[in-house]
């Protein structure tokens, strides 16, 4: 999904600028009495909405990446035990469902067991990965010691 978010943010930003720049140009060039007023308002509104959607996706991706880096540098490393691979049926794109890895690990502060879920993986063949991943293998989980709900499965 990470690559799809990158593509969508550039598509939204590109199309937003494609409509926003002509709208600004029409605003500057046209006189208030012209019939062009409604056209530049539509160009500005549509371009602004698309640019805003692209910027929101960009900010979301940067924030998520920053959190991941912070957890890798400052979070507590947990060696989680691989449990299983689960298909997420609540999200569907083109008839395909993403999968997540389920990992069990102990909270470093309280010592209680938690089940951690990885981020969604698309176009993934679990059969080829299961050849290399056994039930006894450990997966790195970076967890915020103050907030166990803030984690990253590596």
């Amino acid at each position: 999904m990470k690559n799809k978010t990158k593509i969508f943010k550039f598509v939204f930003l590109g199309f937003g600028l494609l409509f926003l720049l002509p709208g600004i140009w029409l605003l500057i060039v046209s006189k208030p009495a012209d019939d062009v007023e409604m056209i530049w308002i539509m160009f500005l509104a549509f371009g602004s909405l698309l640019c805003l959607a692209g910027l929101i996706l960009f900010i979301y991706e940067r924030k998520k990446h920053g959190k991941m880096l912070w957890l890798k540098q400052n979070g507590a490393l947990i060696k989680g035990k691989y449990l299983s691979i689960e298909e997420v049926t609540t999200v569907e794109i083109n008839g395909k469902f993403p999968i997540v890895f389920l990992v069990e690990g102990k909270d470093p502060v309280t010592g209680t067991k938690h089940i951690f879920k990885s981020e969604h993986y698309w176009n993934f063949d679990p059969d080829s990965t299961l050849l290399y991943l056994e039930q006894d293998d450990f997966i790195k989980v970076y967890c915020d010691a103050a907030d166990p709900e803030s984690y990253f499965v590596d």
Side-chain angles (χ1 to χ4, degrees):
M1 186 69 176
K2 185 188 297 184
N3 292 335
K4 291 181 182 185
T5 305
K6 285 182 182 180
I7 291 170
F8 282 139
K9 87 177 170 191
F10 288 122
V11 167
F12 280 115
L13 283 173
F15 277 113
L17 290 175
L18 186 69
F19 282 93
L20 191 62
L21 295 177
I24 292 171
W25 182 78
L26 286 171
L27 174 66
I28 293 170
V29 171
S30 69
K31 296 182 176 114
D34 289 347
D35 292 335
V36 181
E37 184 174 334
M38 189 61 178
I39 294 173
W40 66 259
I41 289 174
M42 288 176 20
F43 268 87
L44 285 175
F46 193 61
S48 298
L49 287 174
L50 289 174
C51 279
L52 182 64
L55 287 173
I56 288 172
L57 286 173
F58 180 78
I59 291 168
Y60 170 76
E61 186 179 294
R62 294 292 296 171
K63 190 173 181 178
K64 187 175 178 181
H65 183 72
K67 179 183 173 186
M68 180 193 68
L69 288 178
W70 186 88
L71 284 171
K72 278 189 168 185
Q73 292 173 353
N74 303 319
L77 175 64
I78 299 172
K79 289 187 175 181
K81 181 182 175 187
Y82 162 74
L83 291 178
S84 65
I85 294 177
E86 186 176 277
E87 194 174 63
V88 181
T89 57
T90 57
V91 180
E92 178 183 2
I93 295 179
N94 294 334
K96 295 183 180 180
F97 300 102
I99 63 154
V100 292
F101 288 94
L102 296 179
V103 179
E104 182 183 48
K106 285 187 179 181
D107 184 351
V109 176
T110 62
T112 59
K113 288 186 178 183
H114 288 282
I115 295 179
F116 300 101
K117 290 184 180 182
S118 69
E119 61 183 30
H120 294 173
Y121 290 98
W122 295 85
N123 297 330
F124 186 79
D125 182 19
D127 294 332
S128 64
T129 303
L130 291 177
L131 294 174
Y132 303 106
L133 195 59
E134 299 295 328
Q135 287 289 99
D136 297 332
D137 285 347
F138 288 97
I139 297 177
K140 294 179 186 176
V141 178
Y142 297 96
C143 182
D144 187 357
D147 181 19
E149 297 298 319
S150 178
Y151 63 86
F152 170 70
V153 177
D154 194 12

